[in-house]
């Protein structure tokens, strides 16, 4: 368990952390997010007793780090993998840490295997890639088999396989009842790994929520691309929808009409089973020519209506729809909205 209470840290006139209160519970991966300079590393360093707070408290299992008995067995941390001395081998580095903590050589061998460095155990760390250094840092954090883990950007430099390995490892450590506090700028990875999120900005708490609640709050929506965006927006708003312009990575792309020489197959049956409405131009059947319309392509993000309802309203109002896609808000989008 990690408990941070009313924590403040000033570096001269810089307020790095300001009245911050949150906890990280056993059995969960708690994601710690914030823009650059938000105060994540400072908070982690204070929890680990490496910096002194200006005021407030940061406790691990109810005690300050310096007051923990047998600290290596209670808390493991990785803050900056690049800090590790390069002259030693991976084995010698871990062995020295293990020795200082009264931990046997067997654990070192076991961990080198677990983090995928067994084959490089006798190589000098100076020749390690960033990903290998990260793996070594994670092994060092796990040496004492601690109940609390604090990891600052552990996925940095890991390849996709390594990132997946790390996710599985952290999930299983939490499933064993450990407390995992994790910072990362990799939002997709964070959304797959963390149960709960603490988001800070300028040293203050902005958000403390479960991942599920947070994503649910930032409503999913339906992306609609229409050449009659203004008319369609009005009709959708009249039906109770909220409309925002959507980020459009394909802006400028030429529109493609169903039926413009395309072959159309029925998609998976959604159970809706409607007949085409009267007046439907049967574009799919007609060998219509591609239409180039500079107005086509305005993309809207619609919330409050289903894709089916939007399609019906578009049809009833004679609005051409070129794209209609349900989508869920990503953690990255939620994060941007929260922190801006
Ligand atoms: N040792 C220090 N001396 C002076 N100022 C510092 C020190 N450490 C951090 N700061 C300042 O405190 C603020 C918070 O920095 P911190 O490194 O904790 O943020 P962060 O959220 O970890 O950022 P990043 O995501 O970029 O690592 C920043 O304004 C930073 O410049």
């Amino acid at each position: 368990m990690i408990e941070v209470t009313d924590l403040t840290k000033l570096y001269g006139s810089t307020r790095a952390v300001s009245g911050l209160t949150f906890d990280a519970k056993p059995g969960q991966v708690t994601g710690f997010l914030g823009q650059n300079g938000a105060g994540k590393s400072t908070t982690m360093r204070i929890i680990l007793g490496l910096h002194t707070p200006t005021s407030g408290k940061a406790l691990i299992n109810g005690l300050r780090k310096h007051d923990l008995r047998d600290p290596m067995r209670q808390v493991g941390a990785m803050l900056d993998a690049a800090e590790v001395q390069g002259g030693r081998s991976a084995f010698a580095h871990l062995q020295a840490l293990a020795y200082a903590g009264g931990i046997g050589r067997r654990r070192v061998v076991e961990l080198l295997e677990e983090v995928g460095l067994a084959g490089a155990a006798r190589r000098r760390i100076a020749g390690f890639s960033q990903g290998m250094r990260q793996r070594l840092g994670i092994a060092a954090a796990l040496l004492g088999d601690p109940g609390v883990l604090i990891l600052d950007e552990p996925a940095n430099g890991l390849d996709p396989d390594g990132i997946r390995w790390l996710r599985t490892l952290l999930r299983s450590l939490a499933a064993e009842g450990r407390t995992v506090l994790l910072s990362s700028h990799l939002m997709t990875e964070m959304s797959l790994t963390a149960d709960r999120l603490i988001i800070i900005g300028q040293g203050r708490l902005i958000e403390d929520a479960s991942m599920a609640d947070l994503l649910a709050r930032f409503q999913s929506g339906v992306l609609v691309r229409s050449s009659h965006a203004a008319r369609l927006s009005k009709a959708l708003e009249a039906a109770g929808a909220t409309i925002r312009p959507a980020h459009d990575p394909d802006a400028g792309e030429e529109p493609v009409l169903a039926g413009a020489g395309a072959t159309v197959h029925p998609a998976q049956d959604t159970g809706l089973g409607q007949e085409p409405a009267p007046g439907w131009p049967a574009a799919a059947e007609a060998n219509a020519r591609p239409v180039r319309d500079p107005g086509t392509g305005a993309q809207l993000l619609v919330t409050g209506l289903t894709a089916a309802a939007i399609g019906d309203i578009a049809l009833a109002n004679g609005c051409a729809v070129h794209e209609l896609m349900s989508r869920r808000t990503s953690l990255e989008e939620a994060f941007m909205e929260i922190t801006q």
Side-chain angles (χ1 to χ4, degrees):
M1 177 88 168
I2 298 169
E3 293 162 285
V4 170
T5 311
D6 206 12
L7 195 69
T8 293
K9 176 69 182 178
L10 301 175
Y11 294 109
S13 60
T14 304
R15 190 171 271 269
V17 180
S18 189
L20 185 61
T21 298
F22 71 90
D23 61 24
K25 295 183 172 60
Q28 291 189 339
V29 176
T30 301
F32 195 31
L33 294 181
Q35 308 270 19
N36 289 133
K40 304 176 298 292
S41 301
T42 302
T43 304
M44 287 175 153
R45 286 181 182 275
I46 293 173
I47 297 169
L48 290 164
L50 299 170
H51 287 198
T52 313
T54 305
S55 62
K57 280 190 299 188
L59 304 181
I60 296 169
N61 298 335
L63 294 171
R64 288 184 313 157
K65 166 75 174 15
H66 293 308
D67 299 328
L68 288 176
R69 263 206 274 150
D70 211 356
M72 258 178 104
R73 294 183 198 278
Q74 297 209 47
V75 58
M78 188 185 77
L79 294 184
D80 187 355
E83 274 175 357
V84 177
Q85 271 194 8
R88 286 176 171 164
S89 71
F91 184 88
H93 171 68
L94 286 184
Q95 176 85 316
L97 292 176
Y99 182 75
I103 293 159
R105 177 192 156 94
R106 228 170 99 190
R107 178 76 178 146
V108 173
V109 175
E110 186 183 296
L111 276 172
L112 283 165
E113 188 70 49
E114 183 168 349
V115 303
L117 287 179
R122 300 287 172 187
R123 278 173 50 190
R124 278 158 49 101
I125 301 166
F128 275 18
S129 67
Q130 193 189 352
M132 291 167 84
R133 283 171 179 266
Q134 294 292 117
R135 287 171 183 268
L136 184 63
I138 292 163
L142 292 172
L143 262 180
D145 201 15
V148 174
L149 277 155
I150 298 177
L151 305 171
D152 198 1
E153 299 283 350
N156 273 2
L158 291 180
D159 59 20
D161 262 0
I163 288 178
R164 196 180 308 167
W165 162 78
L166 179 65
R167 183 197 316 154
T168 309
L169 174 71
L170 298 181
R171 298 277 345 133
S172 66
L173 290 167
E176 289 165 10
R178 296 173 213 262
T179 303
V180 181
L181 181 66
L182 164 75
S183 83
S184 176
H185 286 113
L186 303 176
M187 293 292 160
T188 306
E189 202 38 46
M190 187 61 102
S191 69
L192 294 171
T193 309
D195 303 287
R196 199 166 139 232
L197 286 178
I198 306 294
I199 303 181
I200 64 171
Q202 297 181 335
R204 296 176 191 277
L205 183 72
I206 308 183
E207 192 66 60
D208 177 350
S210 75
M211 183 72 74
D213 286 352
L214 187 94
L215 291 180
R217 194 145 31 93
F218 287 82
Q219 275 184 358
S220 311
V222 180
L223 278 178
V224 184
R225 190 193 291 269
S226 172
S227 49
H228 304 110
R231 182 156 25 117
L232 181 58
S233 296
K234 262 194 187 162
L236 294 173
E237 275 168 349
T242 305
I243 304 193
R244 282 182 288 157
H247 165 67
D248 181 4
D250 299 327
E253 185 185 73
E254 283 189 356
V256 180
L257 274 187
T263 309
V264 179
H265 298 284
Q268 192 186 347
D269 184 11
T270 58
L272 294 172
Q274 299 102 324
E275 290 292 315
W280 173 247
E285 292 99 58
N287 195 15
R289 283 182 304 118
V291 174
R292 287 158 201 235
D293 174 352
T296 307
Q299 209 179 28
L300 310 168
L301 179 60
V302 183
T303 49
L305 288 174
T306 62
I310 293 165
D312 288 347
I313 291 168
L315 179 63
N317 287 273
C319 299
V321 169
H322 300 271
E323 194 179 347
L324 188 62
M325 183 173 69
S326 296
R327 82 197 251 293
R328 291 179 54 193
T329 301
S330 68
L331 176 60
E332 182 173 349
E333 288 164 315
F335 176 75
M336 295 307 283
E337 208 164 316
I338 290 169
T339 55
Q340 273 171 7

